Amino acid sequence: MLSAKSLFQEILDDDESFRLFCSIAASGEAQGGWENARIAALVPESERELAPKITRHGADEDKHGRIFNALIRKRGLEPVPVPPDTDYTMLLEKHGIGLAHEKLRSDRPLTVRDIVTYLAHSRVTEQRASEQMELLRKHFADHPDVGRAVKVISNDENNHLAYCHEELLRFAHVGHGRAIQKTLRECALAEIRIYRDVSLAVMAHMGRILDWPKAKSAVLAAVIHAVYAWERFAGWRRMVSLEMPQRRNALGGPAAPAPEYA
């Protein structure tokens, strides 16, 4: 029977598919770490109190990248180059979601509107990350190789999502509500399309590595398209709602050190 658990188990059991999966994840996390570090450095003076939280966000992303790379090396393997069609973070940036890297590479301070854009983009992408890690945690929390990593990263992603909710609500309270909702909607609709394309690309690469029959690949592609259809119709709305989280000030302290995995 084809299920999320059996699919991930198959990917985890094969060295080549495992290191591609972890390499893709590590690359995206490292890119997120760089973006957050640059945003923290360029925060406008009026929002300097937010800088430590953005720094913590970036430190967590860097930690996740190190964890995924450690999982690869624990098997005696090395990371592999990330195929461009699977590079979720760079494809989001290419399609104008979030803050342009050209802006982040400059030394000009960001505006408050830029910070709102960053938080709205993060609200959407952290929803996806939180859901993905919850799925892995559900099925692999007790896995001898990846269980500990899954639990650490899942907890961090939930903190990131809580932080985005809380800070966006703060900005909405001081008059940015309309801009926040507009940006959230634009980001969500773009993200679900890019997530579909990346999912199709990742499954195509995995299919070649694992020598999946054409029928299996076709079923997986159909499932991905069906998920996109649901998200395009209604599912995207879960990415744009805002509510005060139970985890308040979730990024108010220093990042926890990365456990040793290798």
Side-chain angles (χ1 to χ4, degrees), residues 16-231:
E16 290 303 310
S17 58
F18 177 77
R19 73 169 178 167
L20 176 60
F21 174 82
C22 289
S23 295
I24 292 170
S27 175
E29 298 286 359
Q31 188 63 47
W34 176 83
E35 290 176 357
N36 277 277
R38 290 303 303 152
I39 292 167
L42 299 174
V43 168
E45 194 61 37
S46 62
E47 298 297 331
R48 289 309 301 172
E49 290 185 1
L50 195 56
K53 296 181 181 181
I54 302 173
T55 299
R56 162 73 184 277
H57 191 179
D60 282 345
E61 304 287 5
D62 283 335
K63 178 181 70 177
H64 300 166
R66 294 195 302 273
I67 289 173
F68 281 116
N69 281 322
L71 288 172
I72 296 171
R73 294 192 171 97
K74 187 177 181 180
R75 287 203 189 182
L77 306 170
E78 291 295 325
V80 293
V82 174
D85 57 353
T86 70
D87 197 332
Y88 171 80
T89 306
M90 292 304 296
L91 287 170
L92 286 172
E93 195 270 341
K94 180 180 178 180
H95 286 82
I97 305 304
L99 298 180
H101 287 184
E102 181 180 357
K103 178 175 288 190
L104 297 182
R105 291 190 184 100
S106 77
D107 291 324
R108 295 183 61 184
L110 299 173
T111 65
V112 171
R113 183 69 180 87
D114 289 332
I115 298 301
V116 168
T117 297
Y118 146 71
L119 286 168
H121 166 242
S122 296
R123 156 73 184 97
V124 170
T125 56
E126 293 297 344
Q127 179 78 37
R128 182 74 69 186
S130 177
E131 291 172 353
Q132 287 183 316
M133 293 312 302
E134 286 289 349
L135 179 63
L136 288 176
R137 188 171 190 162
K138 175 183 176 181
H139 296 302
F140 297 103
D142 297 324
H143 191 281
D145 294 328
V146 304
R148 190 177 174 206
V150 163
K151 286 184 283 191
V152 168
I153 297 172
S154 178
N155 187 64
D156 286 346
E157 301 297 7
N158 289 339
N159 281 337
H160 299 167
L161 185 57
Y163 148 76
C164 292
H165 274 272
E166 186 172 6
E167 295 302 331
L168 283 170
L169 285 170
R170 179 174 67 84
F171 276 106
H173 183 70
V174 295
H176 296 277
R178 183 171 297 180
I180 289 170
Q181 284 302 317
K182 179 177 183 293
T183 306
L184 282 172
R185 187 178 189 279
E186 291 173 350
C187 286
L189 292 175
E191 192 278 342
I192 62 172
R193 184 180 68 253
I194 291 166
Y195 180 72
R196 175 203 60 191
D197 294 345
V198 168
S199 297
L200 289 169
V202 170
M203 288 300 105
H205 286 283
M206 293 300 175
R208 285 190 288 271
I209 292 171
L210 297 169
D211 197 25
W212 286 340
K214 290 183 178 179
K216 181 174 181 176
S217 295
V219 169
L220 287 171
V223 170
I224 291 168
H225 282 295
V227 169
Y228 170 73
W230 174 78
E231 291 196 325

Side-chain angles (χ1 to χ4, degrees), residues 234-250:
W236 62 272
R237 289 181 172 83
R238 78 191 189 285
M239 295 178 161
V240 303
S241 63
L242 292 175
E243 59 183 27
M244 190 57 69
Q246 291 183 343
R247 299 186 185 198
R248 303 292 294 274
N249 197 29

